[in-house]
Amino acid sequence: MAFGGRGGGRGGRGSGGRGGGNTGGGRGSAQPRLQLCRNFASGNCTRGDKCSFAHVVKMHAVTEASDKNQDAKQNFSRGYTGQNTKTKDKHKVTSVSVWETNGQIKLFTGSHDGKWRLWNAAPAANGSVTLTQEFEHFVGGAVDTVHIAAHYFFCGFEASPIECPDAKAGMVHSWNLNAAQDPPMELWMSPMAKYAGSGRIRSLWTTADGSVFSGGSDGIIRQWAFNPTGGPNGTPGFSLVKSMSGHLGAVTGLALVGTMLWSGGMDGTLRLWNVESGDQAHLIPAVKKDAANSSPGHHSGPVTGLLPFEAPNNQGSFVFSSSLDDTVKVWNATNGECVASESHGQGVTSIALTADPKGNPLLLCGLFYGDIMIRGTISNPPLVLLLKLSHQYVGVGHELGPVNDIQSGPGNTFYAVADDGKLTVWQITGDFGL
């Protein structure tokens, strides 16, 4: 089996239109270069080129992507600007993945109501996007990650194994989307341990040759290989190749760069593993929060994501990491040196790469209170803050965070999901001056 690719899964008013007001980055972060026009972001600004605010990002669509949470409690977020007491009345949506098929854009989402959903993101006559749910499937427990590799769909969720009906384990099922009527393939530790881990599966990474890496809340990274008879009753499935232990807590990010697998976890550490041997080759330890200012080359809070980045024009290989310590850091993928770090004033809960219409690479940062920041990558200065998308000021986006996942799509689009139970569709339309 070959997947044919690789990847990981899991901002007032003015004379020229309504802008984003005080769209600063929050405590400890710089002011953004641009302020977004509210009217343009949500539809159309009649001022056109005369508008005083930036016409660079549109939100095309938003939809409820999870069921009502009967146990919902009042939320007290955004304490640094005044409390937002909106209730999180929907189950959190944890993950989104983009599937391009036959000229169409389809989206998979996973949520803590125990369901994954398939959406059709169809272009509308007015230039926006219409989201239509095509299918949903209940897997039996909270979904923590969804991931697309070529025409295979992977879903990591929590459920009770048949042999242990009162216990919970991490499961991963995979559907061949070219034969969607077939039962899913499963990742089994062994025929007597029919699950993918003793804890929930928090991260997935796939390679072009068909390998799968999973990161669990038990702190273990596992490598899997396709086995034509490794599933139920001799059906196709995935067999365990090796396990890599070291993290003290959930493994929340995986990224393969060459022969080195990078991992990040809730323990705040980054670890590099030799894929061939499974041995740990390098450790970037965490530091206490009160030591973070004197140790910028270390995280002082849980790592929430990893993202490999090949800089244009052979400028080098890098890895981005995000953390609840409020920072995004950039690491030299060759030697593990921290080459840049920026604070966001709130925890960074997801990251993704996209580009502006000129092809300049951009970094999307999903934040703890529901905001999204857009940064440069190889900009001068590095990671320059370009724009902040905040429902509080722009009037569209996620009212509540965290923003649990962001994924980029074709045509400068990107898609985000959050604890408010919503799926949002965005597009970068203008020039950020890079």
Side-chain angles (χ1 to χ4, degrees):
M1 171 183 287
F3 295 133
R6 67 175 190 177
R10 182 217 333 85
R13 290 186 183 270
S15 61
R18 293 194 299 163
N22 178 21
T23 56
R27 297 174 296 179
S29 59
Q31 294 292 316
R33 179 179 289 182
L34 302 175
Q35 292 187 21
L36 184 64
C37 173
R38 291 172 61 108
N39 290 330
F40 182 82
S42 60
N44 185 47
C45 175
T46 59
R47 297 285 297 177
D49 293 340
K50 297 180 180 180
C51 182
S52 302
F53 297 95
H55 290 192
V56 291
V57 178
K58 276 184 176 290
M59 192 186 81
H60 285 311
V62 58
T63 191
E64 303 285 354
S66 67
D67 292 337
K68 187 175 180 62
N69 183 359
Q70 301 300 328
D71 299 322
K73 296 180 180 180
Q74 194 174 44
N75 176 67
F76 293 91
S77 66
R78 203 176 287 281
Y80 66 95
T81 57
Q83 287 184 339
N84 178 348
T85 58
K86 181 178 174 62
T87 299
K88 293 183 179 181
D89 57 353
K90 297 287 186 177
H91 286 277
K92 67 172 65 177
V93 187
T94 56
S95 191
V96 60
S97 196
V98 183
W99 179 35
E100 298 179 57
T101 175
N102 298 322
Q104 296 180 306
I105 301 174
K106 304 290 184 79
L107 308 173
F108 285 92
T109 59
S111 54
H112 274 194
D113 59 8
K115 297 177 181 178
W116 60 258
R117 293 171 170 85
L118 174 63
W119 308 84
N120 185 1
N126 62 357
S128 65
V129 172
T130 300
L131 280 175
T132 305
Q133 182 178 319
E134 294 187 340
F135 189 75
E136 68 179 32
H137 179 66
F138 180 66
V139 292
V143 177
D144 285 307
T145 182
V146 295
H147 174 69
I148 289 287
H151 57 273
Y152 291 91
F153 167 62
F154 291 82
C155 177
F157 60 98
E158 182 183 52
S160 297
I162 294 176
E163 62 269 33
C164 306
D166 293 328
K168 298 290 187 181
M171 307 285 192
V172 178
H173 288 185
S174 175
W175 284 262
N176 181 346
L177 297 176
N178 288 340
Q181 71 282 358
D182 292 347
M185 296 177 286
E186 302 181 26
L187 276 63
W188 284 0
M189 293 177 62
S190 76
M192 294 187 183
K194 298 175 182 178
Y195 41 85
S198 59
R200 292 158 75 159
I201 304 303
R202 297 291 301 276
S203 52
L204 289 170
W205 185 270
T206 54
T207 68
D209 63 2
S211 292
V212 178
F213 295 89
S214 64
S217 60
D218 55 9
I220 300 175
I221 302 162
R222 295 178 173 90
Q223 181 181 356
W224 311 82
F226 175 71
N227 185 338
T229 59
N233 303 315
T235 57
F238 289 82
S239 297
L240 182 63
V241 175
K242 65 172 69 80
S243 298
M244 292 165 269
S245 300
H247 281 285
L248 298 174
V251 180
T252 51
L254 295 169
L256 185 64
V257 183
T259 60
M260 301 301 294
L261 179 69
W262 288 61
S263 65
M266 293 297 289
D267 59 5
T269 68
L270 297 176
R271 299 170 189 265
L272 281 67
W273 309 83
N274 184 303
V275 173
E276 294 298 322
S277 66
D279 295 332
Q280 184 172 317
H282 187 59
L283 166 66
I284 303 173
V287 296
K288 290 186 176 181
K289 204 162 188 69
D290 57 9
N293 290 336
S294 59
S295 303
H298 304 266
H299 280 298
S300 60
V303 176
T304 56
L306 293 175
L307 188 64
F309 174 60
E310 293 292 331
N313 303 318
N314 298 315
Q315 296 182 65
S317 298
F318 301 91
V319 174
F320 294 101
S321 63
S322 57
S323 172
L324 293 184
D325 66 7
D326 298 358
T327 70
V328 165
K329 298 185 187 296
V330 187
W331 309 87
N332 184 317
T334 302
N335 59 20
E337 176 188 2
C338 183
V339 296
S341 178
E342 285 293 335
S343 179
H344 296 70
Q346 53 183 293
V348 185
T349 49
S350 53
I351 48 177
L353 286 166
T354 186
D356 68 13
K358 294 181 179 179
N360 297 305
L362 303 172
L363 181 68
L364 305 169
C365 304
L367 304 182
F368 187 82
Y369 293 118
D371 308 325
I372 298 173
M373 287 187 182
I374 302 177
R375 292 186 174 273
T377 53
I378 56 171
S379 53
N380 186 17
L383 296 179
V384 62
L385 179 57
L386 301 171
L387 192 73
K388 180 179 177 182
L389 305 173
S390 171
H391 189 281
Q392 184 178 13
Y393 299 115
V394 183
V396 293
H398 293 280
E399 294 182 73
L400 296 173
V403 177
N404 295 310
D405 197 13
I406 303 180
Q407 295 291 328
S408 61
N412 310 108
T413 57
F414 63 95
Y415 310 86
V417 293
D419 267 22
D420 60 5
K422 294 178 180 178
L423 164 65
T424 54
V425 179
W426 307 80
Q427 186 176 25
I428 294 173
T429 60
D431 183 8
F432 287 91
L434 296 176

PDB file of all heavy atoms in Angstrom, residues 2 17 21 24 55 94 117 130 144 156 198 224 240 252-253 283 338 346 352 402 421 426 429 431 434:
ATOM      1  N   ALA A   2       0.513   2.234  -0.819  1.00  0.00           N
ATOM      2  CA  ALA A   2       1.221   3.512  -0.836  1.00  0.00           C
ATOM      3  C   ALA A   2       0.190   4.624  -0.765  1.00  0.00           C
ATOM      4  O   ALA A   2      -0.863   4.552  -1.397  1.00  0.00           O
ATOM      5  CB  ALA A   2       2.062   3.645  -2.103  1.00  0.00           C
ATOM      6  N   GLY A  17     -15.046  52.068   6.279  1.00  0.00           N
ATOM      7  CA  GLY A  17     -15.667  50.768   6.484  1.00  0.00           C
ATOM      8  C   GLY A  17     -15.396  50.304   7.887  1.00  0.00           C
ATOM      9  O   GLY A  17     -14.677  50.956   8.641  1.00  0.00           O
ATOM     10  N   GLY A  21     -10.824  47.114  14.748  1.00  0.00           N
ATOM     11  CA  GLY A  21     -10.647  47.758  16.033  1.00  0.00           C
ATOM     12  C   GLY A  21      -9.313  47.402  16.648  1.00  0.00           C
ATOM     13  O   GLY A  21      -8.294  47.305  15.982  1.00  0.00           O
ATOM     14  N   GLY A  24      -4.902  43.854  18.425  1.00  0.00           N
ATOM     15  CA  GLY A  24      -3.566  43.477  18.854  1.00  0.00           C
ATOM     16  C   GLY A  24      -3.472  42.029  19.222  1.00  0.00           C
ATOM     17  O   GLY A  24      -4.465  41.342  19.423  1.00  0.00           O
ATOM     18  N   HIS A  55      -8.482  44.453   2.870  1.00  0.00           N
ATOM     19  CA  HIS A  55      -9.348  43.483   2.181  1.00  0.00           C
ATOM     20  C   HIS A  55      -8.480  42.292   1.807  1.00  0.00           C
ATOM     21  O   HIS A  55      -8.073  42.134   0.642  1.00  0.00           O
ATOM     22  CB  HIS A  55      -9.974  44.105   0.940  1.00  0.00           C
ATOM     23  CG  HIS A  55     -11.001  45.144   1.235  1.00  0.00           C
ATOM     24  ND1 HIS A  55     -11.853  45.655   0.277  1.00  0.00           N
ATOM     25  CD2 HIS A  55     -11.340  45.765   2.389  1.00  0.00           C
ATOM     26  CE1 HIS A  55     -12.661  46.550   0.818  1.00  0.00           C
ATOM     27  NE2 HIS A  55     -12.359  46.629   2.109  1.00  0.00           N
ATOM     28  N   THR A  94     -12.671  18.539  17.124  1.00  0.00           N
ATOM     29  CA  THR A  94     -11.252  18.415  17.424  1.00  0.00           C
ATOM     30  C   THR A  94     -10.349  18.438  16.209  1.00  0.00           C
ATOM     31  O   THR A  94      -9.165  18.775  16.328  1.00  0.00           O
ATOM     32  CB  THR A  94     -10.990  17.097  18.172  1.00  0.00           C
ATOM     33  OG1 THR A  94     -11.495  16.011  17.370  1.00  0.00           O
ATOM     34  CG2 THR A  94     -11.686  17.087  19.524  1.00  0.00           C
ATOM     35  N   ARG A 117     -17.722  13.377  10.350  1.00  0.00           N
ATOM     36  CA  ARG A 117     -18.679  13.870   9.361  1.00  0.00           C
ATOM     37  C   ARG A 117     -17.953  14.214   8.067  1.00  0.00           C
ATOM     38  O   ARG A 117     -16.802  14.659   8.091  1.00  0.00           O
ATOM     39  CB  ARG A 117     -19.418  15.110   9.888  1.00  0.00           C
ATOM     40  CG  ARG A 117     -20.347  14.818  11.069  1.00  0.00           C
ATOM     41  CD  ARG A 117     -20.888  16.111  11.680  1.00  0.00           C
ATOM     42  NE  ARG A 117     -21.943  15.856  12.649  1.00  0.00           N
ATOM     43  CZ  ARG A 117     -21.735  15.557  13.933  1.00  0.00           C
ATOM     44  NH1 ARG A 117     -20.483  15.470  14.394  1.00  0.00           N
ATOM     45  NH2 ARG A 117     -22.749  15.344  14.754  1.00  0.00           N
ATOM     46  N   THR A 130     -20.605  27.000  -0.080  1.00  0.00           N
ATOM     47  CA  THR A 130     -21.749  26.376   0.589  1.00  0.00           C
ATOM     48  C   THR A 130     -21.293  25.058   1.194  1.00  0.00           C
ATOM     49  O   THR A 130     -20.763  24.188   0.493  1.00  0.00           O
ATOM     50  CB  THR A 130     -22.897  26.124  -0.398  1.00  0.00           C
ATOM     51  OG1 THR A 130     -23.317  27.374  -0.957  1.00  0.00           O
ATOM     52  CG2 THR A 130     -24.076  25.467   0.308  1.00  0.00           C
ATOM     53  N   ASP A 144     -10.612  12.204  18.335  1.00  0.00           N
ATOM     54  CA  ASP A 144      -9.548  13.161  18.611  1.00  0.00           C
ATOM     55  C   ASP A 144      -8.780  13.589  17.379  1.00  0.00           C
ATOM     56  O   ASP A 144      -8.160  14.654  17.381  1.00  0.00           O
ATOM     57  CB  ASP A 144      -8.565  12.568  19.628  1.00  0.00           C
ATOM     58  CG  ASP A 144      -9.125  12.570  21.033  1.00  0.00           C
ATOM     59  OD1 ASP A 144      -9.556  13.632  21.487  1.00  0.00           O
ATOM     60  OD2 ASP A 144      -9.140  11.492  21.674  1.00  0.00           O
ATOM     61  N   GLY A 156      -8.960   8.565  14.514  1.00  0.00           N
ATOM     62  CA  GLY A 156      -8.523   8.130  15.836  1.00  0.00           C
ATOM     63  C   GLY A 156      -9.565   8.495  16.880  1.00  0.00           C
ATOM     64  O   GLY A 156      -9.969   9.663  16.969  1.00  0.00           O
ATOM     65  N   SER A 198      -3.165   2.057  24.611  1.00  0.00           N
ATOM     66  CA  SER A 198      -3.903   2.023  25.875  1.00  0.00           C
ATOM     67  C   SER A 198      -4.483   3.382  26.228  1.00  0.00           C
ATOM     68  O   SER A 198      -5.297   3.494  27.153  1.00  0.00           O
ATOM     69  CB  SER A 198      -2.979   1.551  27.006  1.00  0.00           C
ATOM     70  OG  SER A 198      -1.856   2.409  27.129  1.00  0.00           O
ATOM     71  N   TRP A 224       3.317   1.749  12.339  1.00  0.00           N
ATOM     72  CA  TRP A 224       2.471   0.691  11.801  1.00  0.00           C
ATOM     73  C   TRP A 224       2.776   0.476  10.324  1.00  0.00           C
ATOM     74  O   TRP A 224       3.168   1.401   9.619  1.00  0.00           O
ATOM     75  CB  TRP A 224       0.991   1.049  11.957  1.00  0.00           C
ATOM     76  CG  TRP A 224       0.608   1.501  13.328  1.00  0.00           C
ATOM     77  CD1 TRP A 224       0.758   2.757  13.864  1.00  0.00           C
ATOM     78  CD2 TRP A 224       0.026   0.701  14.363  1.00  0.00           C
ATOM     79  NE1 TRP A 224       0.298   2.788  15.158  1.00  0.00           N
ATOM     80  CE2 TRP A 224      -0.156   1.552  15.496  1.00  0.00           C
ATOM     81  CE3 TRP A 224      -0.372  -0.633  14.445  1.00  0.00           C
ATOM     82  CZ2 TRP A 224      -0.722   1.088  16.686  1.00  0.00           C
ATOM     83  CZ3 TRP A 224      -0.924  -1.094  15.622  1.00  0.00           C
ATOM     84  CH2 TRP A 224      -1.095  -0.242  16.734  1.00  0.00           C
ATOM     85  N   LEU A 240       1.594  -3.594  14.101  1.00  0.00           N
ATOM     86  CA  LEU A 240       2.561  -2.799  14.832  1.00  0.00           C
ATOM     87  C   LEU A 240       3.983  -3.183  14.432  1.00  0.00           C
ATOM     88  O   LEU A 240       4.341  -4.361  14.439  1.00  0.00           O
ATOM     89  CB  LEU A 240       2.352  -2.991  16.331  1.00  0.00           C
ATOM     90  CG  LEU A 240       3.257  -2.194  17.274  1.00  0.00           C
ATOM     91  CD1 LEU A 240       3.030  -0.699  17.086  1.00  0.00           C
ATOM     92  CD2 LEU A 240       2.992  -2.616  18.716  1.00  0.00           C
ATOM     93  N   THR A 252       1.274  14.930  21.197  1.00  0.00           N
ATOM     94  CA  THR A 252       0.298  15.782  20.529  1.00  0.00           C
ATOM     95  C   THR A 252       0.731  16.252  19.146  1.00  0.00           C
ATOM     96  O   THR A 252      -0.059  16.872  18.438  1.00  0.00           O
ATOM     97  CB  THR A 252       0.019  17.010  21.398  1.00  0.00           C
ATOM     98  OG1 THR A 252       1.268  17.611  21.766  1.00  0.00           O
ATOM     99  CG2 THR A 252      -0.727  16.610  22.668  1.00  0.00           C
ATOM    100  N   GLY A 253       1.972  15.969  18.762  1.00  0.00           N
ATOM    101  CA  GLY A 253       2.434  16.383  17.444  1.00  0.00           C
ATOM    102  C   GLY A 253       3.494  15.443  16.909  1.00  0.00           C
ATOM    103  O   GLY A 253       4.352  14.964  17.664  1.00  0.00           O
ATOM    104  N   LEU A 283      16.948  15.257  22.429  1.00  0.00           N
ATOM    105  CA  LEU A 283      15.909  15.745  23.338  1.00  0.00           C
ATOM    106  C   LEU A 283      16.044  17.253  23.487  1.00  0.00           C
ATOM    107  O   LEU A 283      17.141  17.763  23.746  1.00  0.00           O
ATOM    108  CB  LEU A 283      16.038  15.080  24.706  1.00  0.00           C
ATOM    109  CG  LEU A 283      15.238  15.705  25.865  1.00  0.00           C
ATOM    110  CD1 LEU A 283      13.742  15.552  25.629  1.00  0.00           C
ATOM    111  CD2 LEU A 283      15.634  15.098  27.196  1.00  0.00           C
ATOM    112  N   CYS A 338      16.926  26.281  17.953  1.00  0.00           N
ATOM    113  CA  CYS A 338      15.792  27.201  17.877  1.00  0.00           C
ATOM    114  C   CYS A 338      16.267  28.487  17.213  1.00  0.00           C
ATOM    115  O   CYS A 338      17.181  29.155  17.705  1.00  0.00           O
ATOM    116  CB  CYS A 338      15.245  27.496  19.269  1.00  0.00           C
ATOM    117  SG  CYS A 338      13.788  28.575  19.261  1.00  0.00           S
ATOM    118  N   GLN A 346      -1.661  34.348  24.290  1.00  0.00           N
ATOM    119  CA  GLN A 346      -2.569  33.262  24.690  1.00  0.00           C
ATOM    120  C   GLN A 346      -2.016  31.977  24.090  1.00  0.00           C
ATOM    121  O   GLN A 346      -1.194  32.013  23.174  1.00  0.00           O
ATOM    122  CB  GLN A 346      -4.002  33.523  24.224  1.00  0.00           C
ATOM    123  CG  GLN A 346      -4.132  33.819  22.734  1.00  0.00           C
ATOM    124  CD  GLN A 346      -5.552  34.145  22.312  1.00  0.00           C
ATOM    125  OE1 GLN A 346      -6.428  33.285  22.348  1.00  0.00           O
ATOM    126  NE2 GLN A 346      -5.784  35.391  21.904  1.00  0.00           N
ATOM    127  N   ALA A 352      -0.854  25.746  10.911  1.00  0.00           N
ATOM    128  CA  ALA A 352      -0.915  25.215   9.548  1.00  0.00           C
ATOM    129  C   ALA A 352      -0.220  26.193   8.625  1.00  0.00           C
ATOM    130  O   ALA A 352      -0.091  27.385   8.926  1.00  0.00           O
ATOM    131  CB  ALA A 352      -2.359  24.991   9.103  1.00  0.00           C
ATOM    132  N   PRO A 402     -10.717  26.567  22.549  1.00  0.00           N
ATOM    133  CA  PRO A 402      -9.597  26.743  21.626  1.00  0.00           C
ATOM    134  C   PRO A 402      -9.940  26.390  20.176  1.00  0.00           C
ATOM    135  O   PRO A 402     -10.874  25.626  19.921  1.00  0.00           O
ATOM    136  CB  PRO A 402      -8.551  25.764  22.180  1.00  0.00           C
ATOM    137  CG  PRO A 402      -8.958  25.441  23.564  1.00  0.00           C
ATOM    138  CD  PRO A 402     -10.443  25.518  23.556  1.00  0.00           C
ATOM    139  N   GLY A 421     -17.861  24.103  18.586  1.00  0.00           N
ATOM    140  CA  GLY A 421     -18.614  23.153  17.774  1.00  0.00           C
ATOM    141  C   GLY A 421     -18.769  23.551  16.324  1.00  0.00           C
ATOM    142  O   GLY A 421     -19.542  22.926  15.591  1.00  0.00           O
ATOM    143  N   TRP A 426     -12.368  29.804   5.262  1.00  0.00           N
ATOM    144  CA  TRP A 426     -11.757  31.104   5.010  1.00  0.00           C
ATOM    145  C   TRP A 426     -10.995  31.076   3.694  1.00  0.00           C
ATOM    146  O   TRP A 426     -10.627  30.013   3.201  1.00  0.00           O
ATOM    147  CB  TRP A 426     -10.776  31.456   6.127  1.00  0.00           C
ATOM    148  CG  TRP A 426     -11.317  31.387   7.524  1.00  0.00           C
ATOM    149  CD1 TRP A 426     -11.494  30.269   8.286  1.00  0.00           C
ATOM    150  CD2 TRP A 426     -11.750  32.492   8.323  1.00  0.00           C
ATOM    151  NE1 TRP A 426     -12.003  30.609   9.514  1.00  0.00           N
ATOM    152  CE2 TRP A 426     -12.171  31.965   9.563  1.00  0.00           C
ATOM    153  CE3 TRP A 426     -11.798  33.869   8.113  1.00  0.00           C
ATOM    154  CZ2 TRP A 426     -12.631  32.778  10.598  1.00  0.00           C
ATOM    155  CZ3 TRP A 426     -12.263  34.680   9.136  1.00  0.00           C
ATOM    156  CH2 TRP A 426     -12.684  34.133  10.360  1.00  0.00           C
ATOM    157  N   THR A 429      -7.330  36.493   0.206  1.00  0.00           N
ATOM    158  CA  THR A 429      -7.667  37.073  -1.087  1.00  0.00           C
ATOM    159  C   THR A 429      -6.753  38.221  -1.493  1.00  0.00           C
ATOM    160  O   THR A 429      -6.787  38.633  -2.662  1.00  0.00           O
ATOM    161  CB  THR A 429      -9.108  37.604  -1.068  1.00  0.00           C
ATOM    162  OG1 THR A 429      -9.206  38.616  -0.040  1.00  0.00           O
ATOM    163  CG2 THR A 429     -10.102  36.492  -0.779  1.00  0.00           C
ATOM    164  N   ASP A 431      -3.126  41.072  -0.645  1.00  0.00           N
ATOM    165  CA  ASP A 431      -1.682  41.210  -0.491  1.00  0.00           C
ATOM    166  C   ASP A 431      -1.352  41.678   0.926  1.00  0.00           C
ATOM    167  O   ASP A 431      -1.884  42.682   1.399  1.00  0.00           O
ATOM    168  CB  ASP A 431      -1.180  42.219  -1.525  1.00  0.00           C
ATOM    169  CG  ASP A 431       0.322  42.390  -1.511  1.00  0.00           C
ATOM    170  OD1 ASP A 431       1.000  41.619  -0.812  1.00  0.00           O
ATOM    171  OD2 ASP A 431       0.802  43.293  -2.224  1.00  0.00           O
ATOM    172  N   LEU A 434       4.212  41.364   1.664  1.00  0.00           N
ATOM    173  CA  LEU A 434       5.447  40.604   1.864  1.00  0.00           C
ATOM    174  C   LEU A 434       6.344  40.664   0.625  1.00  0.00           C
ATOM    175  O   LEU A 434       5.853  40.785  -0.495  1.00  0.00           O
ATOM    176  CB  LEU A 434       5.114  39.142   2.183  1.00  0.00           C
ATOM    177  CG  LEU A 434       4.359  38.918   3.490  1.00  0.00           C
ATOM    178  CD1 LEU A 434       3.988  37.436   3.651  1.00  0.00           C
ATOM    179  CD2 LEU A 434       5.207  39.378   4.686  1.00  0.00           C
TER     180      LEU A 434
END
